[in-house]
């Protein structure tokens, strides 16, 4: 059984990297406690502090000192937005304990089109999260070790491979692996703030390495130009908000009580992100760190080098932690994307295969698809973080906006139901919880979130669409159309294949068994015996006359052995046996349209793969072509060479040689 | 039918390059008249004059002037050998009018081992002929246009590709395409001799461009050292003899009377080769042309440049003709290799596929195999003619020797039969023809040939084995062992699958139909209906419980519709449906070893290839795995999506909508 052999080798390799299969019962075992969930779901928004400040400074630098002075205010605006969005999404966690991603919320409250738009936005954004975070993680490495810069693409793709394998092993384990670096980054950043504070008090912090770089002199800056710069800087700073979605989508992965734990984790994440982002921005301004166009060394690494000393062990530790958390941010998407794709597949918007859980209870196909798309982006953009980041947040804010508006509608519906006394006590308490007053409060929070994010979406789209965001927008549109078409296809198929009661009783009116014979050997006899044993309405044997001598021999033997089945010779003047058979079968069908034609194909099955080379592969070719011929059923009758005792016909190999009969 | 679509595209491309399929009746039409056969079969020995002289000079040069002086005598020895071998092979043409290659002659007269040794030698040699001739043809080009030298490998592989396509189109057409350059080369070479003669008489021929090059001074050359050099030079010169085999192998391709036409063509070829080889050697010595270690420019091109003038049109024409005939020499092998491989396949020494004639009545698989092997050699040896040529003639002389000894035995057998008056008149006259006396004469000629070639084989082996010929020898040994093993395998299979009369009457004792069901849709109903219509001894439906909800739904519907077949649920706790099914089937088999299990698999067949992506491919995976499970017959019941009126079940799509029933 060579198929079993190669299968075993593949299985062995897979087991080493992915682990042994997990029983479906172990689904519950993969639930996450808050401290692990924080690492799994929140590394994305937390890690984005590693580049959000830099993106603000990069835009403002064009406006010279005057513009740069607005940096703290821009950062404050981003923080306010972050707080609003976090508050808004906490409502979602409570309202949708089974997972309230933008797709689910939009579908329930805004209809199919909005939900597909949200889904498309999220899918694109998950891919961008992986591409941007991994690339940024590689920048953290190359900031510390510049010699690695030329190999950025290879390193990034390698990291995606590691993430893929880790995630194919399953959520629980990846959570454990990834908890340490997240907390290391948070801890080291806080240590950096403390260290800087102590230095400031004791004798001052040295300035950043780029502090003395000349700033561009934009001349007299008009108020309008300054405003445009500030708005663009704000749009760039909004990268700090990516990934908030992941928690509300991942509520079912939390330990019980799921909703409350998720909401608490979201708040913790918000607090951490605000502190880190604020602190880094303050330090960047204080140390006069400048963002460099190629992002190398990064602003955050300049700060760390200034505070810790550029060749200290702590500096290298800090860089390592930065790289690590950025790679974990990519991991957030490895949790989110396959889950969303699975829901979309369940709802018939994506191919069914994305709904299957693999050996290790993860949606393996989604994991592989995400990794492939992200790797392609990194290769396509040559691991250039500045160009990649332009594609990033259009999707985020599309889904934010749709999700928040959906929540507003959600509370509206609940409030209307609440007015109806019949459902007031039972349903509402179960779903959203709380009184009319708390519902109104939630609705208000979501409304503020919705308006804020809608405005930001317009700003982001306007400032970034010509800088590459159009690619993300185009991808979203393509996905949107594809999902609609796939849904229409599945619906059509479902209607087409639905069986009615009458059909359940229908039997085929007439069966014609056709046995392919090339020589009178046991494989052919087996197929012939099986066909005869089935007692079809008509039975005939067919041979393809490719070689005149062999055909003559077959006919002679057939007649001399008086086999009770008629043998039909099909001429194959061009020596291709497939076409004559197909047209013969089609002719039969045309003559008797209600007859099912069962083609019995004797087939050698060999023990070793190389033996396959020694047999014509015509059975395979016949099978492939007949599958596409309507009204034909193919019966593959295998003859296992070398294990003749397993054949049901004869089995003389088992009979003792001394048997007198 | 997307399979038909892609098939059509492939067919279209194939037709453009290979031509439309030829009817088997046109076999006779591909027979060759002598003038075409000379071009097809004899370009190899004729073209080898382009490098044979050079190989002699290259070896002798090491011995300085003294050694070089022996060149004409070495060439004379080669000519004598050539005449002997041609004379010897002419006997073969008469004795074996159906093709008397070394393989056939050895098998009939010397037994299996000798014939396989001859076959292995010939196969290796055909590959070498292609590699050496094409490489040498490229040297002819680069001698004229030195700028092309760096691209030698690419050019050589491209030429092999052209030869492959030409030969896939068929013998007759390739003969026509190739006749012109062969005659052009012969004509231009004779013109060169004439031209040189005229120049010699009127004022003398200019010396070759390398005439003034310093010769190595070997100091005092011992007689033994000189002898060794001369013997080595002779061994190298024997490259002139390659390809004589092709005619005796190709007798059936000649027009009638086949044997006589073949023998005549062989004699013509011998005459031409002797004249050209002798003339070129005389000119090389007269013009003091020296062989260069890298073969560029070649000796023959130096002569042509000296005689015609190095920038004359005639010179370039001559180089073109040289290149062309060398490429045609490769074509000889494209006629010989596939034919021999086909005979070996027919005799069960090589895979059956090599015995099949393709669309255009040529043994397409053999053509492709030869081209691949030769291209690999050229790439592996970087198109270095000096290294390639070392592998060349061990195989030739192995087959020569075996063939001649076989012929000696052949005549011996005939003579013994002739002594028996009963067969004397009938058989002998038909096969070998002629009287006892003419048989004795033929035997004597073959005996001389056998001894000569045996001696040369020893010489060639001794002088070349360490220079690379070991690779050819190793390849021959590997082929020899492989052919023996393949034959043993086929014999074993033939015995195993031979059906006796009792078995021809055996019907399967018990059939268990197993219908795979995932949902209660029309494809499943179709499979179920077919299985029930077959009235098997046992019938059961099986579903794989991968998704708990779907399984529950199926069971409910099954019961509510009261389908008269029992539904078995197989647990798939690891979500892989294949393993549970396989072990279930194996358990069934173990419980009832004589029962045939027919697994009915409903299968979606889609109209466009991309639709395939939207369906789980589990049917394919089931089929692949079940094929390797003994005692199981797979029945593939296709459901053609989008062409529902072609389904034999229901066909409600055809019914008019106004039908009151």
């Amino acid at each position: 059984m060579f198929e079993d052999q190669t299968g075993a080798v593949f299985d062995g390799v897979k087991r080493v990297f992915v682990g042994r299969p997990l029983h479906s019962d172990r689904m519950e075992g993969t639930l996450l406690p808050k401290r692990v969930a924080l690492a799994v779901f929140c590394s994305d928004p937390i890690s984005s502090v590693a580049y959000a400040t830099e993106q603000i400074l990069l835009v403002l630098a064009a406006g010279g000192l005057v513009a740069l002075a607005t940096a703290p205010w821009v950062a404050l605006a981003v923080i306010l937005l972050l707080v609003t969005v976090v508050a808004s999404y906490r409502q979602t966690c409570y309202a949708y304990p089974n997972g309230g991603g933008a797709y689910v919320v939009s579908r329930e409250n805004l209809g199919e089109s909005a939900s597909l738009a949200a889904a498309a936005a999220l899918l694109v954004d998950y891919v961008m999260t992986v591409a941007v975070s991994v690339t940024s993680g590689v920048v953290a490495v190359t900031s510390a070790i510049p010699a690695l810069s030329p190999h950025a693409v290879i390193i990034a793709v390698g990291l995606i491979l590691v993430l893929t394998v880790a995630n194919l092993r399953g959520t629980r384990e990846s959570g454990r692996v990834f908890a340490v670096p997240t907390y290391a980054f948070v801890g080291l950043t806080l240590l950096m703030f403390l260290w800087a504070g102590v230095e400031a008090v004791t004798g001052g912090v040295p300035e950043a390495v780029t502090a003395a770089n000349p700033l561009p002199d934009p001349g007299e800056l008009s108020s309008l130009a300054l405003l445009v710069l500030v708005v663009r800087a704000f749009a760039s700073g909004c990268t700090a908000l990516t990934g908030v979605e992941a928690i509300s989508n991942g509520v079912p992965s939390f330990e019980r009580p799921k909703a409350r734990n998720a909401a608490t984790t979201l708040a913790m994440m918000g607090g951490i992100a605000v502190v880190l982002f604020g602190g880094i921005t303050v330090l960047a301004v204080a140390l006069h760190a400048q963002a460099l166009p190629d992002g190398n060394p990064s602003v955050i690494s300049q700060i760390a080098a200034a505070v810790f000393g550029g060749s200290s062990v702590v500096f290298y530790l800090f860089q390592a932690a930065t790289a690590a958390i950025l790679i974990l941010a990519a991991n957030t998407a490895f949790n989110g994307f396959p889950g969303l794709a699975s829901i979309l597949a369940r709802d018939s918007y994506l191919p069914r295969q994305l709904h299957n859980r693999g050996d290790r209870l993860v949606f393996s196909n989604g994991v592989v698809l995400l990794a492939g798309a992200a790797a392609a982006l990194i290769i396509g953009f040559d691991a250039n973080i500045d160009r990649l980041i332009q594609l990033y947040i259009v999707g985020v804010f599309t889904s934010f906006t749709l999700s928040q508006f959906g929540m507003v509608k959600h509370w509206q519906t609940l409030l209307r139901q609440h007015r109806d006394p019949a459902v007031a006590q039972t349903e509402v308490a179960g779903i959203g919880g709380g009184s009319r007053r708390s519902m109104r409060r939630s609705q208000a929070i979501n409304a503020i979130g919705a308006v804020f994010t809608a405005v930001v979406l317009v700003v982001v789209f306007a400032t970034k669409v010509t800088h590459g965001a159009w690619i993300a927008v185009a991808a979203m549109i393509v996905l949107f159309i594809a999902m609609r078409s796939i849904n229409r296809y599945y619906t059509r198929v479902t209607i087409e294949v639905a069986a009615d009661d009458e059909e359940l009783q229908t039997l085929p009116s007439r069966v014609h068994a056709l046995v392919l014979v090339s020589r009178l050997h046991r494989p052919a006899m087996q197929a012939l015996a099986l066909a005869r044993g089935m007692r079809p309405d008509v039975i005939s044997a067919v041979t393809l006359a490719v070689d005149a001598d062999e055909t003559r021999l077959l006919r002679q033997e057939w007649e001399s052995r008086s086999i009770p089945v008629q043998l039909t010779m099909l001429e194959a003047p061009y020596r291709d046996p497939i076409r004559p058979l197909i047209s013969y079968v089609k002719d039969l069908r045309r003559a008797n349209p209600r007859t099912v034609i069962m083609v019995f194909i004797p087939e050698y099955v060999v023990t070793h793969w190389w033996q396959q080379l020694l047999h014509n592969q015509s059975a395979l070719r016949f099978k492939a072509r007949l599958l596409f011929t309507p009204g034909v059923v193919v019966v593959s009758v295998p003859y296992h060479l070398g294990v003749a005792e397993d054949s049901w016909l004869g089995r003389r190999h088992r009979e003792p040689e001394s048997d007198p009969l």
Side-chain angles (χ1 to χ4, degrees), chain A residues 345-364:
Chain A
R346 186 201 60 200
D347 296 347
S348 299
Y349 290 112
L350 284 179
R352 293 268 152 79
Q353 291 90 322
L354 291 166
H355 186 50
N356 303 344
R357 282 184 189 273
D359 279 350
R360 300 281 292 181
L361 293 172
V362 291
F363 301 109
S364 318

Side-chain angles (χ1 to χ4, degrees), chain A residues 32 34 94 254-266:
Chain A
L32 304 171
K34 281 199 291 293
Y94 284 111
F254 279 80
E255 277 185 356
R256 293 162 204 288
K258 298 186 174 197
R260 189 187 302 162
N261 280 337
T264 310
T265 309
L266 196 49

Side-chain angles (χ1 to χ4, degrees), chain A residues 21 34 105 156 175 294 297 329 392 459 484:
Chain A
K34 281 199 291 293
V105 174
D294 66 347
Y392 198 4
V459 170
R484 251 197 208 290

